[in-house]
């Protein structure tokens, strides 16, 4: 019997956080419906949506009569509600790499503001050609390159022994630079390109029409 799951995402499929939740559901092998929220028309401020997401943000996961916003919370909920080994894991089983994966995700969500502003996801998903990075953007790019290079210095195809959701989030941030044509070490370019071939990402891109 299908699990009644619905994921509310932005109508233009531009949110990196909605992508993360989408790929988490796909990785778990769960059947789910996608519903679009038109942020430009203010759908997120309507009473029906605020009933589902009091904070008025996407993505939102609906599971039966339970609603949850914030991609990190959604991933944690899915990992506990549909746990390994019955469902594929989103994070490493060992507590130390698991904590490191969440550390990376938290950092990517809370830092690198100039880079996110100057290399928005329209660069990745819609072919937008941005201007040169500002000094602050260059600083963020250098920090991203330093951190990513250190985390991937082991030379493996993923951050840890197997793919985890942090790989997607890190690859998306790197692709802000890669797809814009900014300078990147070859190893990071290869890593981000490989992560972009994840089936969940391909399905997300196909859903954009």
């Amino acid at each position: 019997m299908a699990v009644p799951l619905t994921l509310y995402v932005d109508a233009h499929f531009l949110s990196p956080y909605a992508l993360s939740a989408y790929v988490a559901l796909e990785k778990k092998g769960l059947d789910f419906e996608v519903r679009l929220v038109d942020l430009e028309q203010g759908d997120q401020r309507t009473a029906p949506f605020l009933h589902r997401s009091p904070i008025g943000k996407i993505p939102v996961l609906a599971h039966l009569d339970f609603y949850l916003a914030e991609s990190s919370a959604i991933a944690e909920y899915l990992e506990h509600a549909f746990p390994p080994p019955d469902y594929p894991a989103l994070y490493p089983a060992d507590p130390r790499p698991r904590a490191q994966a969440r550390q990376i995700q938290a950092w990517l969500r809370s830092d690198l503001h100039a880079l996110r502003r100057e290399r928005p996801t329209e660069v990745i998903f819609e072919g937008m050609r941005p201007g040169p990075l500002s000094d602050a953007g260059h600083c963020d790019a250098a920090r991203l390159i330093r951190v990513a290079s250190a985390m991937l210095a082991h030379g493996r195809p993923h951050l840890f022994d197997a793919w985890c959701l942090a790989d997607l989030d890190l690859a998306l941030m790197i692709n802000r630079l890669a797809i814009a044509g900014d300078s990147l070490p070859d190893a990071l370019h290869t890593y981000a390109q490989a992560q972009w071939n994840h089936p969940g990402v391909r399905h997300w891109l196909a859903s954009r029409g």
Side-chain angles (χ1 to χ4, degrees), residues 23-40:
V23 171
L25 285 159
E26 288 251 341
K27 179 65 177 179
K28 287 291 183 184
L30 299 167
D31 291 329
F32 63 100
E33 177 186 356
V34 172
R35 293 191 183 177
L36 304 183
V37 180
D38 193 330
L39 303 180
E40 293 179 358

Side-chain angles (χ1 to χ4, degrees), residues 96-109:
R96 290 187 177 182
R98 186 185 186 95
Q100 286 181 312
R102 288 180 168 167
Q103 170 187 262
I104 292 167
Q105 288 183 298
W107 175 63
L108 292 171
R109 284 163 166 74

Side-chain angles (χ1 to χ4, degrees), residues 20 101 104-105 107-109 112 115 124 143-152 157-160 163-177 184 188 191-192 195-196:
S20 186
I104 292 167
Q105 288 183 298
W107 175 63
L108 292 171
R109 284 163 166 74
L112 306 176
L115 178 57
I124 298 173
R143 199 143 40 96
L144 172 63
I145 291 169
R146 175 178 57 80
V147 172
S149 296
M151 294 299 300
L152 294 165
H158 308 297
L159 285 164
F160 306 104
W163 181 92
C164 75
L165 200 55
D167 282 300
L168 168 68
D169 292 347
L170 180 59
L172 187 143
M173 189 64 77
I174 294 170
N175 271 331
R176 293 176 187 267
L177 296 172
L184 270 176
L188 294 189
Y191 164 79
Q195 298 302 327
W196 224 236

